[in-house]
Amino acid sequence: MPFQPFRLTHVATFQGLPAADLALLEARLEPLPVARGTCIVSEGDAADALYVVVSGRFAVETGGNPEPVTEIGQGATIGEIAFFAGGTRTATVRAIRDAVVVRLTRADFDGISQRTPAIWQALTATLAARLAAETRVSTALRKSASEMGRAGPRPRTLALIRAGSAAIPPAFLEAFTSAAAATPNTLIASSQSIGQSVGNGASAGAATTEALNDLEARFSTIVFVADDSLTPWSEKAIRQADAILAVGAHPEGPLGSAVPLNALEAFAATLHRPVSHRLVIVHARSGAVQGTRHWLSARTPLMHHHVACDDAGSIERLWRFLRGTAMGFVACGGGAYCAAHIGIYKAFREAGPALDYFGGTSGGAAMAAAFAQNLPADEIDARVHRMFIEGKALAHYTLPRYSLLDHTHFDRHLQSEYGNVRIEDVWIPYFAASADLASGAVEVHRFGPIWQAIRASAAIPGLLPPFYSDDGRMLVDGSVIANVPVEVMHALKTGPNVVVSFNTREAERFAVDYDALPARGPLLWRTVNPFGRGTLPAAPSAATVLVRSLMANRGRFEQHLGPEDWLLVPPAPEGMGALDWRRHTELVQAAYAHTLAEIRVRQN
């Protein structure tokens, strides 16, 4: 298909020019196909040409940072400021699609402007107005992104490719297509169907590039389904995509070794950064999962997702992640108060929207781990009773050489309740947050044994020894840095979140006579003397003070809540302490009733 003459009438930079001047410029435009990944201009280079995007999209990068500051689409100009000002390029502009542009060289423009000097006046006025407006918008967007900590925009085009050696299960394709079709303005395109829209879909020429880019202008989301092998259509689908969705069929039997990349995945890796990849592991049926680490040993995707052909909900969850509407659940630290998360979780399972990603700190990390395994709320409450009431997991004191509590007793209970399950094997995505005392940063646990992630996240300084990682890091309770890790959730996903925090009771007072606190000798005697224990001042224990101190470290998380986030502050029974696990069921019931009421208000 020959290149059709491009008109500048609707290009903002040239609006206001007389028709005769536009015709002079259009006659000098040179069409150029641009392959995905090509830098059409580079920061610091001489501005010797101006480009107009006929079709496709481009990312603008500055300072060597690969994260784009903005994107440029159809009908926009590239490099006009430096071109007309006579300076050097202030940014690098890279194609993120196969694209088509038209180029106007400086020599051609100078020749036209010498014959028609009025062209300069019109262009200068237009550019000045545009520059002022775009500067205001750009500043506002950068400020908003910085303050909100949001992840990047959702992908508009996806390439669905095979992962591993097996074909994509037809049942998954059917269910995924059905979930996508339920979203308005969405197109599923394969090598069999695309020819009906653009002619020879296997072609990689400029005409097909323009046709596919035109489809993108008509649909808000397009899924390009690649062939089973690296055909021309598969290459085109991968080049045209914002993100890669690699779909692998998990074997029925044990998976004992690494799953190598196939040709489709290897080609995608040459064009897309890992942050643009998602791995979908398809199971014949829902249930316990093992061996995910063997898929991940050769892949570093942004996320991986488990779906089952007999579980439509898991495929709908995947689609919500792709659409940027997945609902997160952020669980906070708070000792025994963390049992309230169970009541909130129960209410959402019964009446609220589906929860798609669980994460938390300290006791909240422990609760979120159980939620991510899709366990019933009553069973989780029973686990709390078994661990903290029957097992007294946080009541075995030791010689205070490394900590106040015997960590081995606590560890045994964690291993008993969570077993050998690994984070990457849980059915719903999950993270735990701990604090790295060396770097002073939040450590986000997304892989490895769940019980170890909880142990690190709940290592209350002084009460329990730190958890030491295999690479020598000293990890303590995540509440030291982020008691409500909403920033972590924002970094991992876009979309709304349920965020839980507890009332710190700032106005609470303690009727304790400081001078009555005994010294070491009298304290020891009154402690071991049965008749003296009742005369000890009713002051909070060291363990209670430690837990309350961490709860007080809210980290001003409220400033990081987004407009879609839903903050829940469940009530606590009057007089309940931070280590009073005996009242866990009462707390669960109160949080359950509170959350049901909140959900009804939202739904009305």
Side-chain angles (χ1 to χ4, degrees), residues 117-167:
I119 199 171
W120 266 111
Q121 182 177 359
L123 285 172
T124 300
T126 302
L127 286 171
R130 279 192 59 216
L131 183 58
E134 290 180 0
T135 298
R136 289 193 299 270
V137 172
S138 178
T139 300
L141 289 175
R142 285 197 300 271
K143 184 174 186 290
S144 174
S146 174
E147 290 179 349
M148 301 306 297
R150 282 291 187 265
R154 72 168 184 86
R156 295 179 58 196
T157 55
L158 296 158
L160 195 152
I161 67 173
R162 174 173 58 87
S165 58

Side-chain angles (χ1 to χ4, degrees), residues 25-116:
L25 292 171
E26 289 168 354
R28 299 300 183 96
L29 295 179
E30 177 187 1
L32 293 173
V34 183
R36 180 195 178 97
T38 301
C39 292
I40 194 167
V41 301
S42 297
E43 190 171 354
D45 286 356
D48 56 357
L50 176 143
Y51 301 89
V52 182
V53 181
V54 177
S55 67
R57 289 169 70 197
F58 293 80
V60 180
E61 306 163 1
T62 61
N65 186 349
E67 292 297 327
V69 296
T70 190
E71 292 183 3
I72 297 173
Q74 186 178 30
T77 48
I78 296 176
E80 71 274 22
I81 301 296
F83 178 78
F84 291 122
T88 58
R89 305 295 190 190
T90 58
T92 295
V93 180
R94 187 187 311 275
I96 54 176
R97 295 279 190 286
D98 284 348
V100 176
V101 300
V102 289
R103 177 172 61 185
L104 179 66
T105 67
R106 177 167 299 283
D108 283 340
F109 179 77
D110 288 346
I112 293 171
S113 60
Q114 286 174 8
R115 293 196 301 271
T116 314

Side-chain angles (χ1 to χ4, degrees), residues 266-289:
F267 178 73
T270 65
L271 296 175
H272 292 265
R273 294 182 297 149
V275 73
S276 299
H277 290 250
R278 289 180 184 267
L279 173 65
V280 180
I281 303 173
V282 181
H283 306 266
R285 59 191 62 84
S286 56
V289 176

Side-chain angles (χ1 to χ4, degrees), residues 106-244:
R106 177 167 299 283
D108 283 340
F109 179 77
D110 288 346
I112 293 171
S113 60
Q114 286 174 8
R115 293 196 301 271
T116 314
I119 199 171
W120 266 111
Q121 182 177 359
L123 285 172
T124 300
T126 302
L127 286 171
R130 279 192 59 216
L131 183 58
E134 290 180 0
T135 298
R136 289 193 299 270
V137 172
S138 178
T139 300
L141 289 175
R142 285 197 300 271
K143 184 174 186 290
S144 174
S146 174
E147 290 179 349
M148 301 306 297
R150 282 291 187 265
R154 72 168 184 86
R156 295 179 58 196
T157 55
L158 296 158
L160 195 152
I161 67 173
R162 174 173 58 87
S165 58
I168 298 175
F172 167 82
L173 276 177
E174 180 180 353
F176 181 81
T177 301
S178 176
T183 304
N185 213 24
T186 297
L187 174 69
I188 306 293
S190 66
S191 57
Q192 290 75 34
S193 67
I194 200 66
Q196 302 172 15
S197 301
V198 301
N200 184 6
S203 169
T208 299
T209 295
E210 287 192 66
L212 293 180
N213 288 330
D214 179 63
L215 285 177
E216 185 178 332
R218 293 162 48 197
F219 293 91
S220 61
T221 305
I222 301 178
V223 180
F224 297 109
V225 181
D227 297 329
D228 276 347
S229 59
L230 193 59
T231 61
W233 163 249
S234 297
E235 291 189 12
K236 190 63 177 174
I238 292 170
R239 300 180 71 90
Q240 196 72 14
D242 288 330
I244 301 297

Side-chain angles (χ1 to χ4, degrees), residues 183-419:
T183 304
N185 213 24
T186 297
L187 174 69
I188 306 293
S190 66
S191 57
Q192 290 75 34
S193 67
I194 200 66
Q196 302 172 15
S197 301
V198 301
N200 184 6
S203 169
T208 299
T209 295
E210 287 192 66
L212 293 180
N213 288 330
D214 179 63
L215 285 177
E216 185 178 332
R218 293 162 48 197
F219 293 91
S220 61
T221 305
I222 301 178
V223 180
F224 297 109
V225 181
D227 297 329
D228 276 347
S229 59
L230 193 59
T231 61
W233 163 249
S234 297
E235 291 189 12
K236 190 63 177 174
I238 292 170
R239 300 180 71 90
Q240 196 72 14
D242 288 330
I244 301 297
L245 198 64
V247 181
H250 200 69
E252 291 280 352
L255 183 61
S257 59
V259 179
L261 299 179
N262 61 38
L264 289 160
E265 295 176 280
F267 178 73
T270 65
L271 296 175
H272 292 265
R273 294 182 297 149
V275 73
S276 299
H277 290 250
R278 289 180 184 267
L279 173 65
V280 180
I281 303 173
V282 181
H283 306 266
R285 59 191 62 84
S286 56
V289 176
Q290 290 184 329
T292 305
R293 65 186 185 277
H294 298 307
W295 284 99
L296 297 174
S297 62
R299 299 165 179 84
T300 54
L302 171 70
M303 279 188 67
H304 69 276
H305 306 266
H306 292 287
V307 301
C309 293
D310 67 345
D311 180 7
S314 65
I315 297 177
E316 291 169 358
R317 175 181 299 115
L318 168 64
W319 185 245
R320 288 193 293 272
F321 272 104
L322 298 176
R323 291 285 300 166
T325 60
M327 176 74 81
F329 185 100
V330 180
C332 66
Y337 295 119
C338 289
H341 291 102
I342 303 172
I344 297 171
Y345 166 73
K346 182 178 181 180
F348 271 88
R349 279 174 65 106
E350 292 180 4
L355 300 170
D356 301 311
Y357 204 146
F358 293 100
T361 293
S362 195
M367 300 301 167
F371 305 159
Q373 295 177 69
N374 214 20
L375 298 176
D378 292 343
E379 180 179 335
I380 300 171
D381 191 36
R383 287 187 174 196
V384 169
H385 188 86
R386 188 164 56 239
M387 184 168 178
F388 293 102
I389 306 303
E390 297 175 0
K392 302 183 184 301
L394 287 176
H396 276 221
Y397 288 86
T398 185
L399 292 175
R401 171 65 176 84
Y402 303 104
S403 62
L404 292 174
L405 295 179
D406 179 1
H407 68 286
T408 63
H409 179 70
F410 182 61
D411 290 0
R412 281 195 296 272
H413 278 284
L414 283 178
Q415 292 177 65
S416 175
E417 297 298 340
Y418 292 93

